[in-house]
Amino acid sequence: MARKNYTDEFRRRAVDLYESTPGATLKGIAVDLGISRGALKEWVDKLGSRTATAGASTAPAVGRPESQAARIVRLETELAASRAEQVKLETERDILRQAAKYFGRGDELVNRFQFVEDHKDAYGVKRLCEVIEIARSSFYAWLTAAPGRTIRAADDAVLAERIRVLQDPDQGGDRAYGAPRITGDLNDGVPAVQRINHKRVARVMRAHQLSGIRLRRRVKTTIPDQSGRRFPDLIQRDFTADEPNRRYVGDITYLPINDGSNLYLATVIDLCSRKLTGWQVADHMRVGLVEDALRIAVRDRGSLAGAVFHSDHGSVYTSKAYVKLCNDVKVVQSMGGIGSSADNSLAESFNATLKRELLEGRPTFPDQTTAYRAVFRWANRYNTRRRHSAIGNITPNAYEAALSATLAEAA
């Protein structure tokens, strides 16, 4: 059954999704989110961004007649301004096109400085710095320091060759050695005043692509419970239910971001219809994350009294605060065996599906805002448009509506 009341946050997120999605239509976004087109249009009209036209008009004042000569002068002035703006834009376009090969090596500040140095005779330092957004004082400081950089680059090249020897198996080295071990080898037996800083070693290894072999870091989202609280397994790997709002599963998964950080998603999934009844995204894994997800599920359903919620033995699910919330909303907690992912496999499968479909083979999301928007749309679409084989290849919302109609007829 579709929700009739929406939070202010949901409205804002819906408007943001519509405005940030290229080529999006009100109807398409509304269907994804399970709302009416009219409701979305009303939210966009009320909460959407407004772009005011800047600059004063050059048209004559209202009510004052404009002579032919004045009109000619005004039009010539507007035409000259338009041509000047066109020349400016064409110059900026040419500058950015030529800058592409520099930024292709990574949009680092040093690449911008080098670009200005190589093209200053053609465009001038001031214009170049304005277009690629750097301070002229910073550029001149970089130029002054050029001799010192040349010396350091030569020293770094010598150090890189020493590192290659330490990583070469044919010379007794180890290809898996990273900066800490390499630093130890370089400083072994060396007087303190001549030792090399580990930060410099790491920088040189990155610059010369000498990083040690390492496995991809696995993000741990289940922090072992230390409280001693235990709850029986009321699911027993039977991930079904005869009717909605009776049995739920949930979990926490991480969403990797390109800058090395993570967002975390907590879920509450109905075992009857597979509906994602409650979810929340945050940049932490504290108990507030799972509490928010459960509260959203309560708001969606109206009540979870008597329902079972099944999870792993993570510390957030066994915390005093979460246990109290479950008692307050009359939810019965259930947990699988410690260290057994199979006991909560449906939630694990949901997490894997979400990341597989949103990342599409990429290792990370480009930034946190993009990740949140993607999850917001996918999570709502999951209920309104995504078909599930476990419920006859229809959507969770359609399944619940059909089941409700069948139960009403039987009554």
Side-chain angles (χ1 to χ4, degrees):
M1 182 180 295
R3 289 178 292 180
K4 298 184 181 298
N5 296 314
Y6 302 92
T7 64
D8 290 340
E9 181 185 3
F10 184 90
R11 292 186 179 96
R12 289 193 299 270
R13 290 292 180 184
V15 172
D16 173 71
L17 179 62
Y18 170 73
E19 293 187 338
S20 64
T21 304
T25 63
L26 289 169
K27 181 178 179 181
I29 297 297
V31 172
D32 279 354
L33 302 183
I35 59 178
S36 68
R37 180 188 180 279
L40 180 58
K41 185 178 185 305
E42 179 182 347
W43 301 345
V44 170
D45 291 342
K46 182 178 180 182
L47 304 174
S49 60
R50 295 290 186 268
T51 304
T53 301
S57 173
T58 59
V62 176
R64 179 182 297 175
E66 184 183 23
S67 67
Q68 185 70 15
R71 182 171 180 272
I72 292 174
V73 171
R74 176 173 60 82
L75 293 177
E76 288 178 344
T77 302
E78 292 177 354
L79 179 60
S82 176
R83 287 174 175 169
E85 180 65 19
Q86 182 180 359
V87 170
K88 178 183 176 183
L89 293 176
E90 288 176 349
T91 302
E92 292 179 354
R93 179 199 61 193
D94 293 341
I95 291 173
L96 291 175
R97 282 179 175 174
Q98 294 184 52
K101 65 179 181 180
Y102 286 78
F103 296 167
R105 300 195 293 265
D107 190 9
E108 300 175 0
L109 198 56
V110 63
N111 291 336
R112 298 189 181 207
F113 291 151
Q114 189 63 57
F115 176 74
V116 174
E117 171 63 12
D118 293 346
H119 295 81
K120 63 184 181 182
D121 293 336
Y123 299 102
V125 172
K126 181 179 179 180
R127 173 59 64 85
L128 288 167
C129 289
E130 287 176 349
V131 172
I132 63 175
E133 299 178 345
I134 60 173
R136 276 184 289 168
S137 59
S138 299
F139 166 72
Y140 286 122
W142 174 84
L143 205 59
T144 302
R149 284 197 305 274
T150 301
I151 295 173
R152 285 195 298 273
D155 291 342
D156 287 348
V158 173
L159 177 58
E161 190 57 36
R162 294 177 61 190
I163 293 173
R164 287 191 182 92
V165 172
L166 292 174
Q167 288 184 330
D168 187 352
D170 294 335
Q171 301 188 52
D174 191 332
R175 182 66 186 86
Y177 269 22
R181 289 190 175 93
I182 291 293
T183 304
D185 282 356
L186 289 169
N187 292 331
D188 189 19
V190 176
V193 294
Q194 298 178 6
R195 290 183 179 178
I196 300 174
N197 185 278
H198 68 92
K199 293 182 180 179
R200 183 190 174 200
V201 173
R203 175 178 58 79
V204 171
M205 291 180 70
R206 286 194 303 271
H208 292 263
Q209 299 181 345
L210 296 173
S211 298
I213 299 172
R214 59 184 177 180
L215 297 176
R216 183 177 176 181
R217 178 175 61 92
R218 180 178 177 85
V219 178
K220 190 174 184 180
T221 55
T222 300
I223 308 301
D225 166 47
Q226 303 296 329
S227 68
R229 295 186 184 89
R230 295 290 184 268
F231 296 92
D233 186 350
L234 304 179
I235 299 296
Q236 296 293 326
R237 301 188 183 181
D238 177 15
F239 301 108
T240 61
D242 294 332
E243 57 182 297
N245 203 23
R246 287 291 177 265
R247 305 208 305 172
Y248 294 87
V249 296
D251 195 13
I252 298 176
T253 190
Y254 73 98
L255 307 170
I257 309 301
N258 191 46
D259 62 6
S261 65
N262 295 296
L263 290 179
Y264 300 91
L265 168 69
T267 54
V268 179
I269 306 168
D270 193 305
L271 287 181
C272 175
S273 63
R274 299 297 195 267
K275 180 174 182 177
L276 180 59
T277 310
W279 63 275
Q280 184 60 283
V281 172
D283 59 357
H284 62 81
M285 290 192 296
R286 296 188 292 274
V287 65
L289 174 63
V290 293
E291 286 181 317
D292 287 346
L294 186 62
R295 289 192 182 100
I296 290 171
V298 172
R299 185 167 63 243
D300 181 88
R301 290 304 197 188
S303 172
L304 293 184
V308 172
F309 177 76
H310 183 79
S311 67
D312 57 30
H313 276 272
S315 59
V316 290
Y317 291 114
T318 59
S319 65
K320 288 183 179 180
Y322 193 77
V323 172
K324 181 179 183 301
L325 176 60
C326 288
N327 290 333
D328 290 344
V329 298
K330 297 181 175 56
V331 164
V332 181
Q333 284 189 264
S334 167
M335 293 184 177
I338 297 177
S340 175
S341 60
D343 288 346
N344 202 20
S345 59
L346 189 142
E348 298 274 359
S349 176
F350 173 92
N351 295 339
T353 298
L354 179 145
K355 285 190 277 192
R356 182 177 65 251
E357 294 185 4
L358 290 185
L359 288 171
E360 298 179 336
R362 299 184 301 272
T364 62
F365 292 96
D367 52 65
Q368 292 192 357
T369 300
T370 301
Y372 197 107
R373 284 173 177 165
V375 173
F376 177 75
R377 184 173 191 175
W378 191 91
N380 285 283
R381 184 185 177 90
Y382 184 89
N383 292 329
T384 62
R385 301 186 70 177
R386 192 180 188 282
R387 299 176 183 274
H388 296 261
S389 59
I391 53 175
N393 280 323
I394 60 176
T395 68
N397 283 356
Y399 182 83
E400 289 193 1
L403 187 59
S404 177
T406 300
L407 293 176
E409 292 176 0

Short mmCIF file of all heavy atoms in Angstrom, two decimals, residues 216-221 252-265 281-285 351-375:
data_model
loop_
_atom_site.label_atom_id
_atom_site.label_comp_id
_atom_site.label_asym_id
_atom_site.label_seq_id
_atom_site.Cartn_x
_atom_site.Cartn_y
_atom_site.Cartn_z
N ARG A 216 42.70 -6.17 -1.51
CA ARG A 216 41.75 -5.10 -1.29
C ARG A 216 41.21 -5.17 0.14
O ARG A 216 40.83 -6.23 0.62
CB ARG A 216 40.58 -5.22 -2.28
CG ARG A 216 39.58 -4.07 -2.15
CD ARG A 216 38.51 -4.20 -3.21
NE ARG A 216 37.50 -3.17 -3.05
CZ ARG A 216 36.43 -3.06 -3.81
NH1 ARG A 216 36.24 -3.92 -4.79
NH2 ARG A 216 35.56 -2.11 -3.61
N ARG A 217 41.18 -4.02 0.80
CA ARG A 217 40.74 -3.97 2.19
C ARG A 217 39.26 -4.33 2.28
O ARG A 217 38.43 -3.84 1.55
CB ARG A 217 40.94 -2.56 2.74
CG ARG A 217 40.47 -2.38 4.17
CD ARG A 217 40.84 -1.00 4.65
NE ARG A 217 40.22 0.04 3.84
CZ ARG A 217 39.04 0.59 4.12
NH1 ARG A 217 38.36 0.19 5.18
NH2 ARG A 217 38.54 1.53 3.35
N ARG A 218 38.95 -5.20 3.20
CA ARG A 218 37.56 -5.58 3.44
C ARG A 218 37.02 -4.75 4.60
O ARG A 218 37.62 -4.69 5.67
CB ARG A 218 37.46 -7.06 3.77
CG ARG A 218 36.02 -7.52 4.04
CD ARG A 218 35.97 -9.01 4.32
NE ARG A 218 34.64 -9.45 4.63
CZ ARG A 218 33.73 -9.78 3.73
NH1 ARG A 218 34.03 -9.71 2.46
NH2 ARG A 218 32.52 -10.18 4.09
N VAL A 219 35.90 -4.11 4.37
CA VAL A 219 35.31 -3.26 5.40
C VAL A 219 34.46 -4.11 6.32
O VAL A 219 33.55 -4.82 5.87
CB VAL A 219 34.46 -2.15 4.76
CG1 VAL A 219 33.80 -1.30 5.85
CG2 VAL A 219 35.31 -1.29 3.86
N LYS A 220 34.76 -4.05 7.60
CA LYS A 220 34.03 -4.84 8.58
C LYS A 220 32.84 -4.06 9.09
O LYS A 220 32.97 -2.99 9.67
CB LYS A 220 34.97 -5.19 9.75
CG LYS A 220 34.41 -6.21 10.71
CD LYS A 220 35.48 -6.59 11.74
CE LYS A 220 34.97 -7.70 12.65
NZ LYS A 220 36.00 -8.08 13.65
N THR A 221 31.63 -4.57 8.83
CA THR A 221 30.42 -3.87 9.25
C THR A 221 29.74 -4.53 10.44
O THR A 221 28.78 -3.98 10.97
CB THR A 221 29.41 -3.80 8.08
OG1 THR A 221 29.16 -5.12 7.59
CG2 THR A 221 29.96 -2.94 6.96
N ILE A 252 23.65 -4.21 8.05
CA ILE A 252 24.39 -3.00 7.68
C ILE A 252 25.40 -3.38 6.60
O ILE A 252 26.07 -4.40 6.71
CB ILE A 252 25.15 -2.41 8.88
CG1 ILE A 252 24.17 -2.00 9.98
CG2 ILE A 252 25.98 -1.20 8.45
CD1 ILE A 252 24.87 -1.49 11.24
N THR A 253 25.50 -2.56 5.57
CA THR A 253 26.52 -2.76 4.55
C THR A 253 27.20 -1.43 4.28
O THR A 253 26.67 -0.37 4.61
CB THR A 253 25.91 -3.31 3.24
OG1 THR A 253 26.97 -3.71 2.36
CG2 THR A 253 25.06 -2.28 2.53
N TYR A 254 28.39 -1.48 3.70
CA TYR A 254 29.14 -0.26 3.42
C TYR A 254 29.03 0.11 1.95
O TYR A 254 28.86 -0.74 1.08
CB TYR A 254 30.61 -0.40 3.82
CG TYR A 254 31.42 -1.29 2.89
CD1 TYR A 254 32.21 -0.74 1.89
CD2 TYR A 254 31.40 -2.68 3.02
CE1 TYR A 254 32.96 -1.55 1.04
CE2 TYR A 254 32.14 -3.49 2.18
CZ TYR A 254 32.92 -2.92 1.18
OH TYR A 254 33.64 -3.72 0.35
N LEU A 255 29.11 1.41 1.67
CA LEU A 255 29.10 1.95 0.31
C LEU A 255 30.43 2.66 0.09
O LEU A 255 30.65 3.74 0.63
CB LEU A 255 27.94 2.93 0.15
CG LEU A 255 26.55 2.40 0.55
CD1 LEU A 255 25.54 3.53 0.58
CD2 LEU A 255 26.11 1.28 -0.38
N PRO A 256 31.35 2.06 -0.67
CA PRO A 256 32.71 2.63 -0.82
C PRO A 256 32.71 3.91 -1.66
O PRO A 256 32.08 3.97 -2.70
CB PRO A 256 33.49 1.50 -1.51
CG PRO A 256 32.44 0.76 -2.28
CD PRO A 256 31.18 0.82 -1.45
N ILE A 257 33.45 4.91 -1.18
CA ILE A 257 33.56 6.19 -1.86
C ILE A 257 34.96 6.34 -2.43
O ILE A 257 35.92 5.83 -1.86
CB ILE A 257 33.24 7.36 -0.90
CG1 ILE A 257 31.91 7.09 -0.18
CG2 ILE A 257 33.19 8.69 -1.66
CD1 ILE A 257 30.71 6.93 -1.08
N ASN A 258 35.08 7.08 -3.51
CA ASN A 258 36.35 7.19 -4.23
C ASN A 258 37.48 7.79 -3.39
O ASN A 258 38.65 7.50 -3.61
CB ASN A 258 36.15 8.04 -5.50
CG ASN A 258 37.34 7.97 -6.43
OD1 ASN A 258 37.87 6.91 -6.71
ND2 ASN A 258 37.78 9.13 -6.91
N ASP A 259 37.13 8.64 -2.41
CA ASP A 259 38.17 9.27 -1.60
C ASP A 259 38.67 8.38 -0.46
O ASP A 259 39.47 8.81 0.37
CB ASP A 259 37.67 10.60 -1.03
CG ASP A 259 36.47 10.43 -0.10
OD1 ASP A 259 36.08 9.29 0.20
OD2 ASP A 259 35.92 11.46 0.33
N GLY A 260 38.19 7.12 -0.40
CA GLY A 260 38.63 6.19 0.63
C GLY A 260 37.69 6.09 1.81
O GLY A 260 37.83 5.20 2.65
N SER A 261 36.70 6.96 1.88
CA SER A 261 35.72 6.91 2.97
C SER A 261 34.60 5.93 2.61
O SER A 261 34.58 5.37 1.51
CB SER A 261 35.15 8.29 3.25
OG SER A 261 34.42 8.76 2.11
N ASN A 262 33.67 5.75 3.54
CA ASN A 262 32.52 4.89 3.30
C ASN A 262 31.26 5.54 3.85
O ASN A 262 31.30 6.29 4.83
CB ASN A 262 32.69 3.53 4.00
CG ASN A 262 33.83 2.71 3.44
OD1 ASN A 262 33.81 2.31 2.29
ND2 ASN A 262 34.83 2.46 4.27
N LEU A 263 30.13 5.26 3.20
CA LEU A 263 28.83 5.46 3.80
C LEU A 263 28.32 4.10 4.23
O LEU A 263 28.81 3.06 3.76
CB LEU A 263 27.86 6.10 2.80
CG LEU A 263 28.12 7.55 2.42
CD1 LEU A 263 27.10 8.01 1.39
CD2 LEU A 263 28.10 8.45 3.63
N TYR A 264 27.32 4.08 5.11
CA TYR A 264 26.80 2.82 5.62
C TYR A 264 25.28 2.82 5.50
O TYR A 264 24.61 3.81 5.80
CB TYR A 264 27.23 2.60 7.07
CG TYR A 264 28.73 2.56 7.22
CD1 TYR A 264 29.46 3.72 7.48
CD2 TYR A 264 29.43 1.37 7.04
CE1 TYR A 264 30.84 3.69 7.59
CE2 TYR A 264 30.82 1.34 7.14
CZ TYR A 264 31.51 2.50 7.41
OH TYR A 264 32.87 2.46 7.50
N LEU A 265 24.74 1.68 5.05
CA LEU A 265 23.31 1.52 4.83
C LEU A 265 22.76 0.47 5.77
O LEU A 265 23.25 -0.66 5.82
CB LEU A 265 23.05 1.10 3.37
CG LEU A 265 21.64 0.62 3.04
CD1 LEU A 265 20.65 1.78 3.12
CD2 LEU A 265 21.60 -0.03 1.65
N VAL A 281 20.89 5.85 5.57
CA VAL A 281 22.29 5.95 5.18
C VAL A 281 22.96 6.98 6.08
O VAL A 281 22.40 8.03 6.37
CB VAL A 281 22.43 6.37 3.70
CG1 VAL A 281 23.89 6.67 3.36
CG2 VAL A 281 21.91 5.28 2.79
N ALA A 282 24.18 6.67 6.53
CA ALA A 282 24.95 7.61 7.36
C ALA A 282 26.42 7.36 7.11
O ALA A 282 26.82 6.39 6.46
CB ALA A 282 24.62 7.43 8.84
N ASP A 283 27.26 8.27 7.63
CA ASP A 283 28.70 8.11 7.48
C ASP A 283 29.32 7.42 8.69
O ASP A 283 30.52 7.53 8.93
CB ASP A 283 29.37 9.47 7.25
CG ASP A 283 29.11 10.44 8.39
OD1 ASP A 283 28.38 10.08 9.34
OD2 ASP A 283 29.64 11.57 8.34
N HIS A 284 28.48 6.73 9.49
CA HIS A 284 28.97 6.04 10.68
C HIS A 284 28.16 4.75 10.86
O HIS A 284 27.15 4.53 10.17
CB HIS A 284 28.81 6.93 11.92
CG HIS A 284 27.36 7.29 12.20
ND1 HIS A 284 26.49 6.44 12.84
CD2 HIS A 284 26.64 8.40 11.89
CE1 HIS A 284 25.29 7.00 12.92
NE2 HIS A 284 25.37 8.20 12.35
N MET A 285 28.62 3.90 11.79
CA MET A 285 27.91 2.66 12.10
C MET A 285 27.45 2.64 13.56
O MET A 285 27.35 1.58 14.17
CB MET A 285 28.80 1.44 11.82
CG MET A 285 29.06 1.18 10.36
SD MET A 285 29.80 -0.45 10.10
CE MET A 285 31.36 -0.26 10.96
N ASN A 351 22.11 -6.78 0.08
CA ASN A 351 23.26 -5.87 0.04
C ASN A 351 24.09 -6.08 -1.22
O ASN A 351 24.53 -5.12 -1.87
CB ASN A 351 24.13 -6.08 1.27
CG ASN A 351 23.42 -5.71 2.56
OD1 ASN A 351 22.46 -4.94 2.55
ND2 ASN A 351 23.88 -6.25 3.67
N ALA A 352 24.33 -7.33 -1.56
CA ALA A 352 25.13 -7.64 -2.75
C ALA A 352 24.44 -7.16 -4.02
O ALA A 352 25.08 -6.61 -4.93
CB ALA A 352 25.39 -9.14 -2.82
N THR A 353 23.11 -7.34 -4.09
CA THR A 353 22.36 -6.91 -5.26
C THR A 353 22.42 -5.40 -5.42
O THR A 353 22.63 -4.87 -6.52
CB THR A 353 20.89 -7.35 -5.15
OG1 THR A 353 20.84 -8.78 -5.11
CG2 THR A 353 20.07 -6.86 -6.32
N LEU A 354 22.25 -4.67 -4.32
CA LEU A 354 22.28 -3.21 -4.36
C LEU A 354 23.60 -2.71 -4.92
O LEU A 354 23.64 -1.89 -5.84
CB LEU A 354 22.02 -2.65 -2.96
CG LEU A 354 22.04 -1.12 -2.82
CD1 LEU A 354 21.02 -0.68 -1.79
CD2 LEU A 354 23.42 -0.61 -2.39
N LYS A 355 24.71 -3.20 -4.37
CA LYS A 355 26.01 -2.72 -4.81
C LYS A 355 26.34 -3.17 -6.24
O LYS A 355 26.97 -2.43 -7.00
CB LYS A 355 27.09 -3.16 -3.83
CG LYS A 355 27.07 -2.34 -2.55
CD LYS A 355 28.25 -2.58 -1.66
CE LYS A 355 28.08 -3.79 -0.80
NZ LYS A 355 29.10 -3.87 0.27
N ARG A 356 25.92 -4.36 -6.60
CA ARG A 356 26.18 -4.84 -7.96
C ARG A 356 25.44 -3.98 -8.98
O ARG A 356 26.00 -3.61 -10.02
CB ARG A 356 25.74 -6.29 -8.10
CG ARG A 356 26.03 -6.88 -9.48
CD ARG A 356 25.65 -8.35 -9.58
NE ARG A 356 24.22 -8.56 -9.44
CZ ARG A 356 23.65 -9.12 -8.38
NH1 ARG A 356 24.38 -9.50 -7.34
NH2 ARG A 356 22.34 -9.28 -8.33
N GLU A 357 24.21 -3.63 -8.70
CA GLU A 357 23.41 -2.89 -9.67
C GLU A 357 23.76 -1.39 -9.69
O GLU A 357 23.66 -0.75 -10.73
CB GLU A 357 21.93 -3.08 -9.38
CG GLU A 357 21.47 -4.51 -9.59
CD GLU A 357 19.98 -4.70 -9.43
OE1 GLU A 357 19.26 -3.70 -9.23
OE2 GLU A 357 19.53 -5.85 -9.50
N LEU A 358 24.16 -0.84 -8.55
CA LEU A 358 24.49 0.58 -8.52
C LEU A 358 25.92 0.87 -8.97
O LEU A 358 26.16 1.86 -9.66
CB LEU A 358 24.27 1.15 -7.11
CG LEU A 358 22.83 1.26 -6.65
CD1 LEU A 358 22.75 1.95 -5.29
CD2 LEU A 358 21.99 2.03 -7.66
N LEU A 359 26.85 0.03 -8.60
CA LEU A 359 28.25 0.27 -8.96
C LEU A 359 28.56 -0.21 -10.38
O LEU A 359 29.50 0.30 -11.02
CB LEU A 359 29.19 -0.41 -7.97
CG LEU A 359 29.24 0.24 -6.59
CD1 LEU A 359 30.01 -0.62 -5.61
CD2 LEU A 359 29.87 1.63 -6.68
N GLU A 360 27.83 -1.21 -10.88
CA GLU A 360 28.02 -1.71 -12.24
C GLU A 360 29.48 -2.04 -12.56
O GLU A 360 30.02 -1.67 -13.59
CB GLU A 360 27.48 -0.69 -13.25
CG GLU A 360 26.00 -0.42 -13.11
CD GLU A 360 25.48 0.61 -14.09
OE1 GLU A 360 26.30 1.44 -14.55
OE2 GLU A 360 24.28 0.60 -14.39
N GLY A 361 30.13 -2.70 -11.63
CA GLY A 361 31.51 -3.12 -11.84
C GLY A 361 32.55 -2.13 -11.39
O GLY A 361 33.74 -2.46 -11.32
N ARG A 362 32.14 -0.89 -11.08
CA ARG A 362 33.10 0.10 -10.58
C ARG A 362 33.43 -0.20 -9.12
O ARG A 362 32.59 -0.70 -8.38
CB ARG A 362 32.52 1.52 -10.68
CG ARG A 362 32.19 1.96 -12.10
CD ARG A 362 31.73 3.42 -12.11
NE ARG A 362 30.56 3.61 -11.27
CZ ARG A 362 29.31 3.45 -11.69
NH1 ARG A 362 29.07 3.11 -12.94
NH2 ARG A 362 28.29 3.66 -10.88
N PRO A 363 34.65 0.11 -8.68
CA PRO A 363 35.01 -0.21 -7.30
C PRO A 363 34.39 0.72 -6.28
O PRO A 363 34.19 0.32 -5.13
CB PRO A 363 36.55 -0.07 -7.30
CG PRO A 363 36.84 0.90 -8.41
CD PRO A 363 35.80 0.63 -9.46
N THR A 364 34.08 1.96 -6.67
CA THR A 364 33.58 2.94 -5.71
C THR A 364 32.58 3.88 -6.35
O THR A 364 32.47 3.97 -7.57
CB THR A 364 34.74 3.80 -5.13
OG1 THR A 364 35.34 4.53 -6.22
CG2 THR A 364 35.78 2.95 -4.43
N PHE A 365 31.84 4.61 -5.49
CA PHE A 365 31.04 5.75 -5.94
C PHE A 365 31.97 6.96 -6.03
O PHE A 365 32.91 7.09 -5.24
CB PHE A 365 29.92 6.04 -4.93
CG PHE A 365 28.86 4.98 -4.86
CD1 PHE A 365 28.91 3.99 -3.89
CD2 PHE A 365 27.81 4.97 -5.76
CE1 PHE A 365 27.93 3.02 -3.81
CE2 PHE A 365 26.82 4.00 -5.70
CZ PHE A 365 26.88 3.01 -4.73
N PRO A 366 31.71 7.89 -6.95
CA PRO A 366 32.61 9.04 -7.09
C PRO A 366 32.65 9.95 -5.87
O PRO A 366 33.68 10.51 -5.54
CB PRO A 366 32.06 9.78 -8.31
CG PRO A 366 30.66 9.28 -8.48
CD PRO A 366 30.66 7.88 -7.97
N ASP A 367 31.51 10.09 -5.17
CA ASP A 367 31.47 10.93 -3.97
C ASP A 367 30.24 10.55 -3.15
O ASP A 367 29.39 9.78 -3.61
CB ASP A 367 31.43 12.42 -4.33
CG ASP A 367 30.32 12.75 -5.31
OD1 ASP A 367 29.15 12.58 -4.94
OD2 ASP A 367 30.62 13.15 -6.45
N GLN A 368 30.14 11.09 -1.94
CA GLN A 368 29.06 10.71 -1.04
C GLN A 368 27.70 11.19 -1.54
O GLN A 368 26.70 10.48 -1.40
CB GLN A 368 29.33 11.25 0.37
CG GLN A 368 30.52 10.59 1.05
CD GLN A 368 30.60 10.92 2.54
OE1 GLN A 368 29.79 11.67 3.06
NE2 GLN A 368 31.58 10.35 3.21
N THR A 369 27.65 12.37 -2.13
CA THR A 369 26.37 12.88 -2.63
C THR A 369 25.81 11.98 -3.73
O THR A 369 24.62 11.64 -3.74
CB THR A 369 26.55 14.31 -3.18
OG1 THR A 369 27.00 15.15 -2.12
CG2 THR A 369 25.23 14.85 -3.72
N THR A 370 26.67 11.57 -4.65
CA THR A 370 26.23 10.67 -5.72
C THR A 370 25.77 9.34 -5.16
O THR A 370 24.76 8.78 -5.60
CB THR A 370 27.39 10.44 -6.72
OG1 THR A 370 27.78 11.70 -7.27
CG2 THR A 370 26.96 9.50 -7.84
N ALA A 371 26.48 8.83 -4.15
CA ALA A 371 26.10 7.55 -3.55
C ALA A 371 24.73 7.65 -2.90
O ALA A 371 23.88 6.76 -3.06
CB ALA A 371 27.15 7.14 -2.51
N TYR A 372 24.49 8.74 -2.16
CA TYR A 372 23.20 8.88 -1.47
C TYR A 372 22.06 8.99 -2.48
O TYR A 372 21.00 8.36 -2.32
CB TYR A 372 23.21 10.08 -0.53
CG TYR A 372 22.08 10.00 0.48
CD1 TYR A 372 22.32 9.70 1.81
CD2 TYR A 372 20.76 10.20 0.09
CE1 TYR A 372 21.28 9.59 2.72
CE2 TYR A 372 19.72 10.10 0.98
CZ TYR A 372 19.98 9.81 2.30
OH TYR A 372 18.95 9.70 3.19
N ARG A 373 22.27 9.79 -3.53
CA ARG A 373 21.21 9.93 -4.54
C ARG A 373 20.91 8.59 -5.21
O ARG A 373 19.75 8.25 -5.45
CB ARG A 373 21.64 10.94 -5.59
CG ARG A 373 21.55 12.39 -5.14
CD ARG A 373 22.14 13.31 -6.18
NE ARG A 373 22.01 14.72 -5.81
CZ ARG A 373 22.67 15.70 -6.37
NH1 ARG A 373 23.54 15.42 -7.35
NH2 ARG A 373 22.49 16.95 -5.98
N ALA A 374 21.97 7.84 -5.51
CA ALA A 374 21.78 6.54 -6.17
C ALA A 374 20.99 5.58 -5.28
O ALA A 374 20.08 4.89 -5.74
CB ALA A 374 23.13 5.95 -6.54
N VAL A 375 21.34 5.54 -3.99
CA VAL A 375 20.64 4.65 -3.07
C VAL A 375 19.21 5.10 -2.86
O VAL A 375 18.29 4.28 -2.81
CB VAL A 375 21.39 4.58 -1.72
CG1 VAL A 375 20.57 3.80 -0.70
CG2 VAL A 375 22.75 3.91 -1.90
#
